[in-house]
Amino acid sequence: DAIDLREFLPKPIKYKVRLEIPEGKGAVLRNLGQIESSSENGDVFEIIFSDPEIALQEILRNGKDVRVIEPDSLRNALRIHLENLSNV
């Protein structure tokens, strides 16, 4: 049974995401957003997407290199997606 991840994500017109990206990683995501702060773990970026599904796909392309800070709904959808992959 496939899970439709869209049910876990809200549908705002502008979908603001905060991500932590390690230095030297996530070049495409870095180019999409504005840096907010830096730490030893990486840089925090705010990125505006038009759709939460696009945000999810972009983050999945970067694998373990990206940590979702917010929104919680995106972090939860990502966790569910990865759990489903591990059960295949």
Side-chain angles (χ1 to χ4, degrees), residues 71-83:
D72 291 338
S73 58
L74 179 60
R75 188 172 46 247
N76 291 335
L78 182 62
R79 180 184 50 77
I80 290 167
H81 179 77
L82 294 174
E83 286 173 358

Side-chain angles (χ1 to χ4, degrees), residues 45-56:
F45 282 82
E46 179 180 280
I47 304 173
I48 305 294
F49 290 95
S50 60
D51 186 287
E53 292 178 55
I54 293 171
L56 180 63

Side-chain angles (χ1 to χ4, degrees), residues 39-78:
S39 72
E40 65 276 356
N41 295 326
D43 300 318
V44 174
F45 282 82
E46 179 180 280
I47 304 173
I48 305 294
F49 290 95
S50 60
D51 186 287
E53 292 178 55
I54 293 171
L56 180 63
Q57 292 304 315
E58 287 297 326
I59 292 165
L60 286 169
R61 284 188 187 107
N62 286 276
K64 63 181 179 176
D65 293 328
V66 175
R67 182 176 72 89
V68 177
I69 298 171
E70 58 184 34
D72 291 338
S73 58
L74 179 60
R75 188 172 46 247
N76 291 335
L78 182 62

Side-chain angles (χ1 to χ4, degrees), residues 3-11 51-53 56 77:
I3 293 177
D4 186 356
L5 295 177
R6 292 176 289 197
E7 67 186 74
F8 297 100
L9 299 172
K11 296 289 184 187
D51 186 287
E53 292 178 55
L56 180 63

Side-chain angles (χ1 to χ4, degrees), residues 29-45:
L29 288 172
R30 287 173 171 275
N31 288 330
L32 294 175
Q34 298 293 321
I35 191 167
E36 289 186 341
S37 63
S38 296
S39 72
E40 65 276 356
N41 295 326
D43 300 318
V44 174
F45 282 82

